Amino acid sequence: MHEGVGLSILGLFGLLTIAVLMLPVTRRLRLPYTVFIAAIGIGLSVVFLPLQGLELGMIGDFRDAASSFGLTSEIVFFVFLPALVFESALSIDVRRLLADIWPILLLAILGLLVSAFLVGGALWLVASVPFVVCLLLGAILSATDPVAVVAIFKDLGAPKRLAVLVEGESLFNDATAIVLFNILAAMILTGAGASLMAGMQSFLTVFVGGIIVGFIMAWMFVMVIRHVRNMAVVEVTLTISLAYLSFLVAEHYLHVSGVMATVVAALVIGSRGRTAISADGWHLLKETWETIGFWANSLIFVLVGLAVPAILSSLAPDYWLVLSIALVSAFVARAGLTYIMVPAIAALRIGMPVSVGFRSVMWWGGLRGAVSLALALSVYENPSFPIEVREFVVTLVCGFVLFTLLVNAPTVGFVMRFFGLDKLSASDLVVRRRAIDKVRSAIANDLPTLASRQRIAPETASMVVADYEGEAEEHADEASADAQLSKDDWLKIGLLSLIGQEREAYLDQYAAGHIAPHIAQILLGCADDIRDQSKADGVDGWVRGHKTALEFDWQFRLALFLQRRFQTSRMLAQRLASRFESLRTMRLAVLEVKDKGLHDLEQITGPEILAQLSRLLDERENEISKALLAIRKQYPDYADSLDRRYLKRCAIRQERESYDRLSEEAIIGGELLLNLQDNLDGQYHSLSRQPRLDLGLTREQLIAKVPMFKALSDDQRQAVAKLLSPQLSVPDEIVIREGDPGTGMYFVSSGAVQAEIQPVPAIIGTGGFFGEMSLVIEQPRTANVVSLGYCELLALSRRDFETLMDLDDGISDIIKSVARERQEELSGN
């Protein structure tokens, strides 16, 4: 075959075919996939050597194509890296990532810088190259690949927060390594001296610049995707374009971090993009990106295997000592990160505690992959670098990557077994045996009926039933012998089962199209949080987790701040609407678990534990209902519109299923079915957008609800409107705190607040006001005032208080009179 496109295609897809066919082999042999295909690449490289120059037809063409299909920095950077980064970041829960953003940034930025300096310093002591070159190599070797560790954590059922911490740290770690590499490479090539301030400025510019580019481009693509909704192929293709274009625009044209741009673009698509992409489109998107990520990983590691032997063959004898120093110093630096910095972050309460076993897996499983190779190859291919620097960097990096692939990856399992992470806990063993007993007993009961229907001789059925009954009794004996678990252990087992069923209920609601993707994401995140806390602290963790799920998150708090500070209500309305839908779906899921899930647990946990689990679910349902009722009371019309929308969507889905059954029964034809489905699709699409919630926080609307202002003239009401600031107060919010200086007063337009005065708290409802005493009498706040639900308030600042008092004598008299009465009541108490 002539050299050209055909030869390249033969080499590319021949290697991809070999790589993917190794997946079932590695699963059968229980070997790490990336390690095995890298070994296959090395084997191919060795096999190709004696075949050079021989005419072997297609095999010879494949040999030539695979040998010439070199691994270059541009291929890694612009072909593989965007795909790998986007696929990894797309699966990260943004809510969890932002919750742990500070520990992630500390580990990724500070941890990498410390590691780079430690490795660079150790190499400088033994290598005859400048310190800045050693530091450059330290930055390259500090970029880790999380794929292996995250996969292991998923198999072990590790806390979701821990998986997000590891994957987030690695993604930001890669970006930090690339930024530091570019700064150091520029210093080597230009001969410029090191400047701490200039380096920090350049680092922040490149790092933050990549974030901005990725965010802007992702939002542009989301806006486009909104207009092509329900066209899954277009939606998925646009995300692929976004991955590569965001990387290219940031890295090549704007000279900022392409990795950070791609990471942020994926995070935006994974969070906000879900509201724009249809359910079918999101399912296809996930499958497509899993496939792209698998292809990229497969090709890059087989190409690594092909390239490494040729590079390492030129490794000088004195480099072996330097490579050993690099390995030791890098693992020592990684140990400091996992065994010192991670516990310190937990001690400061800005991150979660991580067990020694999981930290050890994080340490030993810190493989080096695409980023390290790409950076090393970019040095090797650049003739501006001195030849000794190029050889020094590329040989040591390839040796290091090969070591982590062939030594670390296959032995991570030994680390897991050493800490007992691969073993089922005592509670898991007991549940396993009781579950087997329950299932096998049910099968033994059902087999005679099945045999009778199939006209199988009763004697034959009895023999099979006897086998199942014997095995069931055997497992029952083991369960009773091992059931030395405490009541708390059994409660934890039950709670984990309940939250698992609740999670499945959310997935069913999403699959049925009853909830939007972003609502499903919120609810699944809440379920995972409750699961993690229940797994750690049993009932206390369960209670704490479900209370946290009902609290107002940082996004809601931000929306409140924006409304109060800038009088913009759009974000707050969106957060309230999402909260209403989330709470309603949460309550439906809990009711479903109560109706169906509790019964299945009785044979596992016993009646006493089941009764306590039922009480815990009742308490959870009551708390959810209380939170839901608060919104419903404040916005009844909106609640009714959501209820109607939900019922209509359920009815349309049921109608579609009925038409499908009629088609299967040949009662209606295919053309008629398509016509009916098109009609239903139009109706369903019209219901897909969440109804807009009108908060009613305009000055005119709120002033009209306060009786005190009704006697004012139109001009006076307009003057009052300019003085007052509408704001929404949420349930149990402390509007005024005892002892604080008086900065203003409030009028209650709707709802009620409670002044926590002694001996009897005072409730102030619609039309009332509070906070005036500090302004009239000029003293600190005398009591806490707490919202008794969602309250619409009108805030009046101290600066505008006198203006209002001068505006109308009637208002002034009322406020001063009430202030004196309240002061007398407090004095009397």
Side-chain angles (χ1 to χ4, degrees):
M1 183 182 292
H2 296 290
E3 292 186 4
V5 175
L7 195 63
S8 298
I9 290 175
L10 176 63
L12 175 64
F13 287 98
L15 290 174
L16 182 60
T17 301
I18 292 173
V20 298
L21 287 177
M22 294 303 105
L23 182 60
V25 176
T26 55
R27 287 185 175 175
R28 183 179 296 272
L29 297 177
R30 295 189 177 183
L31 293 173
Y33 174 68
T34 53
V35 176
F36 195 79
I37 58 174
I40 292 295
I42 294 173
L44 287 174
S45 180
V46 172
V47 169
F48 288 160
L49 285 176
L51 299 180
Q52 295 297 328
L54 298 178
E55 292 293 335
L56 301 172
M58 188 177 72
I59 295 177
D61 288 338
F62 173 66
R63 173 204 61 202
D64 297 338
S67 300
S68 64
F69 200 76
L71 192 66
T72 66
S73 61
E74 287 194 346
I75 288 176
V76 177
F77 262 121
F78 294 106
V79 178
F80 293 119
L81 198 56
L84 292 171
V85 169
F86 196 91
E87 191 267 336
S88 295
L90 189 65
S91 61
I92 293 180
D93 187 335
V94 177
R95 188 177 64 89
R96 290 176 175 274
L97 181 73
L98 292 176
D100 285 326
I101 192 65
W102 293 115
I104 287 173
L105 290 179
L106 278 174
L107 292 172
I109 298 177
L110 182 60
L112 182 130
L113 293 175
V114 170
S115 175
F117 274 90
L118 284 175
V119 176
L123 291 174
W124 182 60
L125 295 176
V126 296
S128 56
V129 294
F131 175 72
V132 68
V133 174
C134 294
L135 192 59
L136 180 80
L137 187 59
I140 296 174
L141 297 180
S142 298
T144 57
D145 183 352
V147 175
V149 175
V150 171
I152 290 170
F153 282 2
K154 186 180 296 184
D155 292 339
L156 293 175
K160 296 283 186 180
R161 283 185 65 189
L162 181 55
V164 170
L165 178 70
V166 174
E167 195 160 5
E169 181 259 333
S170 182
L171 287 171
F172 285 94
N173 167 298
D174 288 347
T176 306
I178 293 172
V179 173
L180 181 60
F181 169 86
N182 288 330
I183 293 172
L184 295 172
M187 291 170 58
I188 295 172
L189 294 176
T190 61
S195 169
L196 181 62
M197 290 303 298
M200 289 178 61
Q201 182 179 358
S202 177
F203 178 87
L204 289 174
T205 300
V206 174
F207 194 87
V208 176
I211 293 175
I212 295 172
V213 171
F215 185 82
I216 292 174
M217 291 194 66
W219 269 108
M220 291 169 58
F221 272 73
V222 168
M223 293 301 104
V224 174
I225 289 172
R226 288 188 189 278
H227 290 85
V228 293
R229 193 176 177 88
N230 292 326
M231 299 178 67
V233 175
V234 178
E235 294 168 342
V236 173
T237 304
L238 285 173
T239 65
I240 297 173
S241 299
L242 172 63
Y244 284 93
L245 290 176
S246 60
F247 189 94
L248 188 66
V249 169
E251 193 75 31
H252 185 69
Y253 291 101
L254 300 178
H255 307 293
V256 293
S257 174
V259 171
M260 281 310 306
T262 306
V263 166
V264 171
L267 293 176
V268 172
I269 292 295
S271 56
R272 289 302 180 192
R274 291 192 178 195
T275 62
I277 298 173
S278 62
D280 291 340
W282 187 256
H283 180 72
L284 178 63
L285 182 145
K286 290 183 68 176
E287 289 189 340
T288 301
W289 273 108
E290 285 176 6
T291 304
I292 291 173
F294 175 68
W295 288 351
N297 263 312
S298 301
L299 281 172
I300 198 167
F301 281 104
V302 76
L303 290 173
V304 166
L306 283 169
V308 163
I311 294 173
L312 291 184
S313 63
S314 61
L315 190 64
D318 58 332
Y319 275 18
W320 289 105
L321 173 63
V322 180
L323 177 59
S324 301
I325 297 298
L327 286 166
V328 172
S329 58
F331 281 108
V332 168
R334 185 72 182 170
L337 188 72
T338 54
Y339 291 108
I340 298 176
M341 188 174 288
V342 170
I345 288 172
L348 294 172
R349 299 194 175 186
I350 58 174
M352 65 176 296
V354 182
S355 70
V356 174
F358 281 125
R359 275 184 272 148
S360 299
V361 175
M362 289 172 62
W363 167 63
W364 191 247
L367 310 182
R368 272 57 171 184
V371 172
S372 296
L373 283 169
L375 296 177
L377 289 170
S378 68
V379 172
Y380 186 69
E381 297 163 3
N382 191 340
S384 300
F385 284 99
I387 186 63
E388 62 274 11
V389 171
R390 293 158 59 188
E391 292 180 351
F392 176 78
V393 170
V394 77
T395 51
L396 289 181
V397 171
C398 286
F400 198 105
V401 170
L402 196 62
F403 181 89
T404 62
L405 280 177
L406 300 183
V407 177
N408 288 67
T411 56
V412 169
F414 293 105
V415 178
M416 293 164 50
R417 287 191 287 274
F418 179 80
F419 288 97
L421 297 177
D422 62 326
K423 297 178 181 177
L424 292 175
S425 66
S427 59
D428 288 335
L429 287 171
V430 173
V431 171
R432 175 182 177 274
R433 288 166 182 154
R434 290 198 177 189
I436 290 174
D437 175 43
K438 177 183 177 181
V439 171
R440 289 185 176 274
S441 295
I443 292 174
N445 291 332
D446 294 341
L447 274 176
T449 304
L450 176 63
S452 176
R453 285 203 304 265
Q454 298 297 326
R455 302 295 190 270
I456 296 174
E459 296 80 7
T460 304
S462 298
M463 293 173 62
V464 179
V465 169
D467 292 338
Y468 268 87
E469 287 178 340
E471 291 185 15
E473 290 173 2
E474 177 186 344
H475 284 288
D477 292 339
E478 292 176 0
S480 62
D482 289 339
Q484 303 298 324
L485 301 180
S486 66
K487 182 179 179 181
D488 290 340
D489 291 332
W490 280 113
L491 280 171
K492 183 185 293 187
I493 290 169
L495 291 173
L496 291 175
S497 174
L498 293 179
I499 197 63
Q501 294 177 56
E502 184 178 329
R503 198 179 191 281
E504 289 302 313
Y506 296 144
L507 291 173
D508 291 343
Q509 287 285 313
Y510 172 62
H514 296 325
I515 56 174
H518 74 285
I519 299 295
Q521 185 183 26
I522 291 171
L523 293 171
L524 291 172
C526 291
D528 289 338
D529 285 340
I530 297 173
R531 172 188 171 274
D532 289 347
Q533 296 195 53
S534 300
K535 197 170 185 178
D537 299 318
V539 174
D540 290 340
W542 159 277
V543 173
R544 186 168 59 250
H546 91 73
K547 286 186 179 298
T548 302
L550 297 180
E551 291 176 354
F552 299 96
D553 60 14
W554 68 270
Q555 291 177 307
F556 196 98
R557 298 289 178 187
L558 174 62
L560 278 176
F561 169 79
L562 293 175
Q563 189 277 319
R564 294 171 186 179
R565 182 69 178 82
F566 302 105
Q567 297 299 299
T568 173
S569 300
R570 182 174 180 179
M571 182 178 179
L572 182 58
Q574 291 174 343
R575 301 309 303 173
L576 263 176
S578 295
R579 179 174 174 81
F580 185 92
E581 196 163 355
S582 298
L583 289 172
R584 188 179 60 181
T585 307
M586 194 181 294
R587 188 180 64 175
L588 286 173
V590 171
L591 289 173
E592 183 177 332
V593 171
K594 285 177 62 177
D595 292 341
K596 300 177 182 179
L598 280 175
H599 175 72
D600 294 335
L601 274 176
E602 184 171 7
Q603 193 169 345
I604 301 288
T605 62
E608 182 183 354
I609 299 298
L610 190 71
Q612 189 162 349
L613 292 173
S614 180
R615 286 195 297 272
L616 288 169
L617 274 181
D618 287 339
E619 291 172 6
R620 180 140 192 258
E621 184 203 342
N622 290 336
E623 291 293 329
I624 296 170
S625 298
K626 180 181 175 183
L628 188 59
L629 181 61
I631 301 182
R632 185 178 287 275
K633 287 177 64 177
Q634 185 65 26
Y635 304 106
D637 293 339
Y638 181 75
D640 290 341
S641 69
L642 279 185
D643 289 342
R644 287 194 300 272
R645 172 173 169 262
Y646 176 79
L647 291 174
K648 286 180 180 178
R649 295 177 77 169
C650 290
I652 290 173
R653 184 172 183 83
Q654 185 175 346
E655 189 176 353
R656 174 186 286 276
E657 291 173 352
S658 298
Y659 292 147
D660 289 339
R661 284 195 300 272
L662 291 174
S663 175
E664 292 171 0
E665 295 167 1
I667 295 176
I668 61 175
E671 186 176 351
L672 178 56
L673 176 65
L674 288 175
N675 179 269
L676 292 169
Q677 288 178 340
D678 287 342
N679 182 43
L680 292 178
D681 286 341
Q683 296 179 44
Y684 196 86
H685 181 68
S686 66
L687 297 170
S688 61
R689 188 177 296 276
Q690 191 178 54
R692 182 162 182 165
L693 172 60
D694 182 9
L695 297 181
L697 292 178
T698 61
R699 291 180 172 87
E700 292 74 14
Q701 286 177 297
L702 298 185
I703 287 174
K705 297 178 183 179
V706 180
M708 186 187 304
F709 300 135
K710 288 185 177 179
L712 299 177
S713 66
D714 292 340
D715 291 340
Q716 286 177 317
R717 272 197 293 271
Q718 291 178 5
V720 169
K722 295 178 180 178
L723 301 176
L724 300 174
S725 300
Q727 73 175 52
L728 183 71
S729 181
V730 298
D732 300 321
E733 179 183 2
I734 299 177
V735 183
I736 284 179
R737 192 176 298 274
E738 184 179 2
D740 285 353
T743 57
M745 65 174 294
Y746 299 87
F747 297 90
V748 182
S749 182
S750 71
V753 298
Q754 178 172 281
E756 297 179 341
I757 57 177
Q758 298 300 326
V760 180
I763 294 178
I764 304 169
T766 301
F769 55 88
F770 58 95
E772 78 294 336
M773 286 180 59
S774 293
L775 305 182
V776 175
I777 307 170
E778 297 187 355
Q779 64 181 29
R781 303 295 194 188
T782 56
N784 287 344
V785 178
V786 182
S787 299
L788 296 178
Y790 292 92
C791 299
E792 293 174 343
L793 305 176
L794 288 163
L796 178 70
S797 67
R798 174 182 285 275
R799 182 186 58 194
D800 295 325
F801 176 71
E802 291 301 330
T803 304
L804 179 64
M805 299 291 275
D806 294 338
L807 186 66
D808 183 82
D809 292 338
I811 294 176
S812 176
D813 292 341
I814 292 173
I815 292 175
K816 289 179 179 179
S817 173
V818 171
R820 284 193 297 269
E821 290 176 4
R822 290 176 177 172
Q823 185 185 28
E824 291 172 0
E825 290 176 2
L826 289 173
S827 300
N829 292 335

